[in-house]
Amino acid sequence: MNEVTEVVGQETAKVMSDGNLSITQLIVDASPLVQGVMLFLLLLSVISWTVIIQRGRYLSYCSRMAKQFENEFWGNIDLNQLYQNCKSKKSLSAMEKIFTAGFTEFARMHKQGVKNKDTLMDGTYRAMKVSCSREIESLENHLPTLATIGSISPYIGLFGTVWGIMSAFIALSAVKNATLAMVAPPIAEALIATAMGLFAAIPAVLFYNRYATKVEKLENQYLNFIDEFSTILNRNTAASNAGNQQ
């Protein structure tokens, strides 16, 4: 044990004296467990940035398509024509799916001879709400991954730091006349784990909060559209029933 600790002290002192102390060298010289922690944190960081980029593009696409559809919806276009345009597309945006689900249910119930306005509107509203819930679930996909990475990464890094410092002091405990040159490199190796934990956690937390706000904004936009479309269908149904009674 004494021979091992002396070797550790000599090597660390040599590194300091040669002036070759670098982050890369510290990682290479770290203990296997600390290296494993660093590798795991690097993996979490890669996963985090993959989710950040993918979710950022998807949420931007959804916001753009929602605005585009609202412009079409309020552009004095006939609802039947808008419905046919949506049906002819191979893929629909979230708001187009909500509109199509509501219009399809409304037409189906109307075709079945449902005359009660409340029943007709209730069925249409429920169909749009179900479609909206599915789209919100799609928007929130992978966001819990960012939340998890942001929560656990600092603690994983701290574990690597604590273990590295503990191992360094145990190794140096049997060394006589321990100097700063002998203590600094092992501690620096351990602190890199904390730094990597923060490097993985900070972007994950930052973008999770940002994307959660975007999802909430889109959800409100979808729900507002459902209310507005339901109001239009309700008004048209009431006008149609009044015309039939005359």
Side-chain angles (χ1 to χ4, degrees), residues 204-224:
V205 173
L206 178 65
F207 281 96
Y208 171 79
N209 292 331
R210 182 178 179 180
Y211 291 164
T213 301
K214 283 189 174 183
V215 170
E216 184 178 359
K217 183 178 178 180
L218 281 170
E219 182 178 7
N220 291 333
Q221 193 172 358
Y222 295 161
L223 293 176
N224 289 337

Side-chain angles (χ1 to χ4, degrees), residues 107-245:
R108 185 187 67 81
M109 296 181 68
H110 191 76
K111 186 177 181 180
Q112 290 179 348
V114 177
K115 300 297 182 181
N116 186 278
K117 186 182 66 172
D118 293 336
T119 303
L120 190 63
M121 295 310 305
D122 184 64
T124 303
Y125 189 83
R126 287 176 180 273
M128 288 191 289
K129 283 287 291 182
V130 170
S131 179
C132 180
S133 297
R134 291 173 180 168
E135 296 308 315
I136 298 302
E137 183 178 350
S138 178
L139 292 176
E140 294 176 342
N141 193 24
H142 297 308
L143 289 188
T145 301
L146 290 181
T148 301
I149 292 175
S151 299
I152 68 173
S153 293
Y155 296 104
I156 295 175
L158 183 60
F159 168 75
T161 296
V162 171
W163 184 272
I165 292 176
M166 181 181 66
S167 300
F169 278 111
I170 291 175
L172 294 170
S173 63
V175 177
K176 297 181 180 179
N177 300 323
T179 63
L180 180 62
M182 299 169 59
V183 177
I187 294 179
E189 294 168 4
L191 290 175
I192 292 177
T194 296
M196 292 185 68
L198 295 175
F199 179 78
I202 292 174
V205 173
L206 178 65
F207 281 96
Y208 171 79
N209 292 331
R210 182 178 179 180
Y211 291 164
T213 301
K214 283 189 174 183
V215 170
E216 184 178 359
K217 183 178 178 180
L218 281 170
E219 182 178 7
N220 291 333
Q221 193 172 358
Y222 295 161
L223 293 176
N224 289 337
F225 171 75
I226 291 175
D227 292 336
E228 292 166 350
F229 185 40
S230 298
T231 300
I232 293 175
L233 291 178
N234 188 37
R235 188 187 305 122
N236 292 343
T237 302
S240 178
N241 291 340
N244 293 333
Q245 291 177 359

